[in-house]
Amino acid sequence: RKIFVSTESILKEIASLPRNTKIDYITLSGNGEPTLAKNLGDIIKRIKKIRKEKIAVITNASLIDRPDVQTDLLRADFIMLKFDANAEDLFMGVNRPSPGVKFGDIVKGIKRFTAMYKGRAALQVMLVKKNKAYAKEIAKMAVKLGIKEVQLNTPLRECAEQALSKPDMDAIKKYFKGMKIDCVYGAKIKH
């Protein structure tokens, strides 16, 4: 973890937002993984001093097992955690993580984090051909992790992976019954 962009630069940009614009969340995601920012907790704390909107963080969860990252994320109102597998080998095949990032550490980290987190937490699950058959097991793990909300995605823009069909995604949604589900095929697109 290191400081990539100063807190002051972020605050200057946030301060330039119009006050009368309806903003549901100020979201920290960026060009890369936001939890790599050593000043993430300070950024969240200081934004909350100048803005009334809630703060969301979209993370790939690769550092969620670190106590310093958990402390920073506890300040946010909504955390979206990437979770596309149910075991190490599938995680390696689907996510192709950086060396040293282990699926078991992510699972333990999410479990510890959600046990103490009072805000809104959701899993962001990207479904493709490689992990489609494991969707039921991923759903079971989500329940064990204390998650009550899930965003089910499949790549709809051009990329190396082929999108799953709407009927495939509708079938997968059934595994997550009892959770709040947002599915890419149900998203309302603003023009």
Side-chain angles (χ1 to χ4, degrees):
R1 297 184 80 196
K2 67 180 189 175
I3 295 176
F4 297 93
V5 179
S6 74
T7 302
E8 297 310 319
S9 294
I10 300 286
L11 292 174
K12 184 177 178 184
E13 190 167 330
I14 296 294
S16 73
L17 293 171
R19 291 276 176 193
N20 57 353
T21 302
K22 182 168 174 20
I23 299 171
D24 55 355
Y25 285 90
I26 293 174
T27 304
L28 303 172
S29 60
N31 186 12
E33 172 53 33
T35 62
L36 287 170
K38 193 172 187 172
N39 56 338
L40 178 63
D42 187 47
I43 291 168
I44 295 168
K45 180 175 92 174
R46 296 200 40 210
I47 289 172
K48 285 186 171 225
K49 287 182 179 179
I50 63 169
R51 298 294 296 203
K52 65 181 180 340
E53 294 89 1
K54 294 180 178 184
I55 307 288
V57 178
I58 301 173
T59 174
N60 66 18
S62 61
L63 301 178
I64 194 67
D65 63 317
R66 291 179 54 143
D68 59 334
V69 169
Q70 291 178 358
T71 298
D72 288 351
L73 291 176
L74 287 172
R75 296 177 184 270
D77 302 290
F78 183 19
I79 306 296
M80 288 173 273
L81 302 140
K82 190 100 168 85
F83 198 79
D84 307 323
N86 70 316
E88 185 74 32
D89 57 341
L90 185 60
F91 173 69
M92 297 302 277
V94 171
N95 296 100
R96 300 180 302 275
S98 294
V101 176
K102 302 289 181 215
F103 180 73
D105 294 338
I106 291 172
V107 171
K108 287 179 208 163
I110 292 173
K111 190 168 181 92
R112 275 195 309 265
F113 179 73
T114 57
M116 63 181 149
Y117 184 58
K118 304 294 182 219
R120 180 179 168 200
L123 293 184
Q124 237 184 19
V125 183
M126 179 62 72
L127 294 153
V128 293
K129 187 176 180 180
K130 288 179 188 172
N131 63 351
K132 174 184 166 185
Y134 302 94
K136 186 174 186 176
E137 288 77 16
I138 293 169
K140 287 178 184 177
M141 288 192 82
V143 171
K144 288 179 185 175
L145 293 172
I147 300 293
K148 296 182 179 22
E149 182 174 348
V150 65
Q151 295 178 353
L152 300 176
N153 299 311
T154 195
L156 296 183
R157 63 180 183 266
E158 196 171 312
C159 70
E161 299 290 339
Q162 186 177 7
L164 297 183
S165 68
K166 185 177 182 327
D168 283 341
M169 294 296 283
D170 286 341
I172 288 168
K173 281 188 341 189
K174 294 174 185 171
Y175 299 135
F176 293 87
K177 188 178 177 180
M179 292 184 183
K180 180 182 184 295
I181 302 168
D182 286 321
C183 182
V184 67
Y185 284 115
K188 290 180 176 55
I189 300 171
K190 296 179 183 178
H191 298 280

